[in-house]
Amino acid sequence: MSKKSKEHSEFVPRSVKHKKKKRKVSSFILIAVLLLTLGGATAAVLNFGLVPFQLGVFNQGQQHEESSELEEEQTYDTELTEEPSEEEVDEETDNTQEDTDGKGDQKEAGQDTRQQKPKEVEQGTRSNEDKPAPHNNEKPKENPAEQPKSEPSQKAEIVITHEVKPNETLYSIAKKYYINPDTQQHKIAQFNEITNPATDLKAGLELKLPDPDIIAFHNVQSGETLFNITMRYYRDADQLIPLANYNHIVNPANDVKAGMTLTIPHPTILKNYKPSGITIKVNKTSNTLTVYQNTEVLRTFSVATGKELSLTPEGTFQIVNKVEKPWYNPKNIPGGSPNNPLGSHWLGLNVPGTNNFKYGIHGTNDPSSIGKHVSLGCIRMHNEDVLWMYNNIPLQTTVYIVSE
């Protein structure tokens, strides 16, 4: 290479380097002027991150000085016209972190701790937001102290009230009303929400008894009949005979007296006291007579009853006599006569206060009257029907007369 060319090659880098230094000095002078004039804007400039950027440019300038002068000129021109790339920013960030690492690990640990706290709060918020909303069927938990007392879970068909007497215990009360008091006393306690019978059961307490075997103890009043008592407690005349059997009453018309006490059992108990033989039921409302074999209907007949409701007595009676071709004494009409209003046969009832011949079931000489309210108190039947009764119904058969 010639001397001239050599000098030319050395001259070019120096001039470029000289120009570069001038430009840098001019840049710092301009920045200083801006900082002095803007004053408080210095903090804003620092917040926008110009210092790290300038440090990074300064470091890069030093690195480029060690390279060839031609590459320095090209790099310098590129830096003046283009913004730093992402890789360069990463390098600057890494350099800045390396410089600050030497200042102490305690400060960095403190910053990490402060940064972790907001994350924990943010994670907690997100976890609450991520939780699914409760379903409509889910109910919020209630305070047990605020919950109202639940009503007894048992469902009873009949509930009676017993006022606790002095010195009564839960067992003695259960024994009075239930066949099996051992198990039923626990049922009574649960139904009344009694946890400690020794302290909770006090005299005067109205105790509720669910489905007792015995629903009442009835003191018969003057003028009461077994029929009235049956209708009062059961509203079903079919329970009359079972009630009589339960209380060992043979003749309701004579055995039920004022002052006596009748035990009134639950209807399910009376099922075991249904009559085992034949019984008769007369319904004055429908003017029918029904014959039962045990609990099954054997025969049903149409009859005539009193032209006034009170003329045919209501209650429980027995058939105490049977007469073929009865004599009609009021008008002295012999039995068997076509004019005899008693017809062909008679079955007498033991209605109290009579001689057992005043009221009875008999035939008729007027078939057209059957099914009507026309008699003076007796139960009229067609002659062929009363004949069947005469032949098939034994004495002492129970007859109860009702209005339903």
Side-chain angles (χ1 to χ4, degrees):
M1 179 181 294
S2 63
K3 184 179 181 180
K4 185 178 181 178
S5 61
K6 183 177 180 181
E7 291 175 355
H8 178 74
S9 62
E10 293 176 355
F11 175 77
V12 173
R14 290 175 181 175
S15 63
V16 171
K17 184 174 182 181
H18 181 69
K19 292 178 180 180
K20 180 179 178 181
K21 289 182 178 180
K22 284 184 176 182
R23 289 177 180 176
K24 285 187 177 181
V25 171
S26 299
S27 299
F28 283 112
I29 292 173
L30 290 173
I31 292 172
V33 171
L34 291 173
L35 292 174
L36 291 173
T37 55
L38 296 177
T42 303
V45 173
L46 294 175
N47 289 335
F48 281 109
L50 294 178
V51 172
F53 175 75
Q54 291 171 357
L55 290 175
V57 174
F58 181 75
N59 292 334
Q60 286 180 354
Q62 290 179 348
Q63 293 176 1
H64 289 306
E65 287 179 357
E66 297 175 357
S67 64
S68 65
E69 294 179 358
L70 182 60
E71 290 175 353
E72 286 180 359
E73 184 177 4
Q74 294 174 353
T75 304
Y76 177 75
D77 295 336
T78 304
E79 290 176 352
L80 293 176
T81 56
E82 296 180 359
E83 295 179 358
S85 63
E86 294 180 358
E87 294 179 356
E88 292 174 348
V89 173
D90 295 338
E91 291 178 359
E92 293 171 3
T93 306
D94 294 337
N95 293 334
T96 305
Q97 290 178 353
E98 289 176 0
D99 293 337
T100 56
D101 288 340
K103 294 181 180 180
D105 295 335
Q106 294 180 352
K107 181 178 180 181
E108 187 173 291
Q111 292 177 352
D112 293 340
T113 305
R114 288 193 296 270
Q115 292 176 357
Q116 288 176 1
K117 289 182 179 180
K119 289 183 180 179
E120 293 175 357
V121 176
E122 183 179 356
Q123 290 177 357
T125 306
R126 290 180 180 177
S127 62
N128 292 334
E129 293 176 353
D130 294 339
K131 289 182 180 180
H135 297 291
N136 294 332
N137 295 335
E138 295 181 0
K139 296 181 179 179
K141 293 182 179 181
E142 297 179 357
N143 188 356
E146 297 178 356
Q147 293 180 354
K149 290 185 178 181
S150 58
E151 296 185 359
S153 58
Q154 304 97 327
K155 291 184 179 180
E157 294 181 1
I158 297 177
V159 178
I160 66 171
T161 302
H162 173 81
E163 185 177 346
V164 180
K165 305 295 188 301
N167 300 323
E168 275 190 323
T169 64
L170 197 61
Y171 179 81
S172 65
I173 296 172
K175 186 177 180 181
K176 184 176 182 180
Y177 290 93
Y178 295 92
I179 296 175
N180 188 356
D182 294 325
T183 58
Q184 293 300 328
Q185 65 174 333
H186 302 293
K187 182 178 179 181
I188 297 172
Q190 184 179 5
F191 195 84
N192 290 271
E193 298 182 354
I194 294 176
T195 57
N196 188 353
T199 58
D200 297 344
L201 195 67
K202 298 179 181 179
L205 175 67
E206 290 188 352
L207 201 64
K208 294 181 180 179
L209 307 178
D211 290 325
D213 296 324
I214 307 301
I215 62 176
F217 297 92
H218 181 80
N219 293 322
V220 180
Q221 304 298 317
S222 178
E224 281 189 319
T225 65
L226 189 60
F227 174 78
N228 302 136
I229 299 170
T230 302
M231 295 302 295
R232 173 180 176 179
Y233 289 100
Y234 303 107
R235 298 184 182 278
D236 183 5
D238 292 339
Q239 302 289 7
L240 191 149
I241 301 301
L243 181 61
N245 293 337
Y246 186 88
N247 286 275
H248 308 290
I249 296 173
V250 178
N251 186 347
N254 298 323
D255 296 345
V256 178
K257 298 179 180 179
M260 70 181 299
T261 300
L262 296 179
T263 302
I264 311 298
H266 192 279
T268 56
I269 303 298
L270 287 184
K271 291 180 179 179
N272 300 322
Y273 291 86
K274 293 286 185 181
S276 58
I278 295 176
T279 56
I280 297 172
K281 175 182 176 181
V282 177
N283 189 338
K284 298 194 300 180
T285 303
S286 60
N287 279 329
T288 56
L289 184 151
T290 304
V291 180
Y292 293 90
Q293 178 68 51
N294 296 324
T295 58
E296 301 295 326
V297 176
L298 188 60
R299 294 285 299 271
T300 299
F301 303 99
S302 179
V303 298
T305 56
K307 56 186 177 181
E308 294 180 7
L309 186 63
S310 60
L311 289 178
T312 301
E314 295 182 2
T316 305
F317 315 103
Q318 282 77 39
I319 296 175
V320 293
N321 55 63
K322 299 167 66 176
V323 179
E324 184 180 5
K325 296 181 179 180
W327 193 281
Y328 186 60
N329 292 323
K331 294 187 178 181
N332 198 22
I333 300 174
S337 170
N339 298 326
N340 193 324
L342 299 181
S344 61
H345 296 82
W346 165 275
L347 292 83
L349 302 176
N350 60 345
V351 177
T354 68
N355 58 359
N356 299 335
F357 283 96
K358 182 177 181 179
Y359 298 98
I361 302 169
H362 60 79
T364 184
N365 64 343
D366 183 9
S368 64
S369 65
I370 303 303
K372 301 177 182 178
H373 298 92
V374 293
S375 75
L376 296 177
C378 289
I379 296 100
R380 295 185 188 178
M381 303 182 70
H382 290 288
N383 286 331
E384 57 271 23
D385 293 340
V386 76
L387 175 61
W388 184 92
M389 292 281 292
Y390 182 88
N391 292 329
N392 293 280
I393 302 301
L395 293 173
Q396 301 303 319
T397 296
T398 301
V399 178
Y400 53 102
I401 304 173
V402 299
S403 294
E404 294 180 341

